[in-house]
Amino acid sequence: MRIRPATPADLPLLQDIERAAGEPFRTLGMTEIADDEPPALDLLERFRKAGHAWIAEADGEESEGGEGDAGAGRPVAYLIGEPVDGAFHIEQVSVHPDAAHRGVGRALIAYAADRARDQGLTGLTLTTFTEVPWNAPYYERIGFRPLTDPELTPGLRKIRATEAEHGLDRWPRVCMHRTVT
């Protein structure tokens, strides 16, 4: 697996990854999440231009049977984010199901942590669903901790308010933080 900055040509593929990564939410009765449209190309381009959009490429081992959408050199996961109140906020990290359970998401998060450190940021933040096994429980296993309401920064409060406006609070959500060392 190789992690690199996203290019303009990658952006439609990131939307495909997002759609595929949303499908498992159906099994939890979260069809609205599964059916949600991926980030628009102009939004992905904004993250890319800022230098905050990275992809993980398959090296040929991520694909079941060695063929299909996860072939060598093809993007299988992505992460976008931006600095928010002194931390790098992970807006989205998505892994194609064909590449799941191979450490791809963890590698992208580690890459984002290194870039955050390079930028003088002190941590990573994200918001996520508390009761989805591959969301909050996963992030806790890799070093994130839930933030209490008084710990939320103004930027995180704004992000949560926007999420609530989009109906994401229909399911329990949490802000999480991991220190960058």
Side-chain angles (χ1 to χ4, degrees):
M1 168 184 41
R2 181 178 89 127
I3 297 174
R4 64 169 175 80
T7 67
D10 293 323
L11 301 184
L13 299 173
L14 304 188
Q15 291 180 315
D16 293 342
I17 290 168
E18 185 67 24
R19 284 183 191 99
E23 282 303 309
F25 284 91
R26 283 188 204 290
T27 64
L28 302 176
M30 299 172 75
T31 56
E32 294 89 341
I33 301 302
D35 292 338
D36 193 35
E37 283 299 308
L41 291 175
D42 62 337
L43 178 62
L44 292 170
E45 176 63 7
R46 182 175 65 83
F47 285 108
R48 188 199 69 77
K49 277 186 174 177
H52 298 139
W54 303 293
I55 65 164
E57 290 181 332
D59 61 11
E61 296 175 17
E62 278 80 12
S63 175
E64 298 285 329
E67 57 186 320
D69 285 346
R74 182 163 176 88
V76 295
Y78 77 96
L79 185 149
I80 56 175
E82 62 190 340
V84 173
D85 299 334
F88 186 81
H89 183 74
I90 298 171
E91 176 66 27
Q92 186 66 40
V93 59
S94 292
V95 178
H96 193 285
D98 289 348
H101 310 292
R102 293 181 175 93
V104 178
R106 184 183 304 240
L108 275 168
I109 291 168
Y111 189 88
D114 289 344
R115 302 298 75 76
R117 186 180 317 100
D118 293 346
Q119 295 175 29
L121 301 171
T122 60
L124 299 175
T125 59
L126 54 81
T127 60
T128 193
F129 296 109
T130 61
E131 297 173 1
V132 174
W134 59 90
N135 279 192
Y138 168 76
Y139 294 120
E140 284 190 77
R141 288 193 304 274
I142 64 169
F144 283 84
R145 69 171 183 83
L147 294 174
T148 63
D149 195 63
E151 292 177 295
L152 298 183
T153 65
L156 290 175
R157 288 182 191 284
K158 184 177 178 185
I159 289 166
R160 287 290 294 121
T162 300
E163 290 177 348
E165 288 171 14
H166 289 116
L168 291 177
D169 282 1
R170 178 174 169 197
W171 304 275
R173 290 185 63 78
V174 66
C175 287
M176 301 185 84
H177 179 271
R178 182 171 110 180
T179 301
V180 173
T181 56

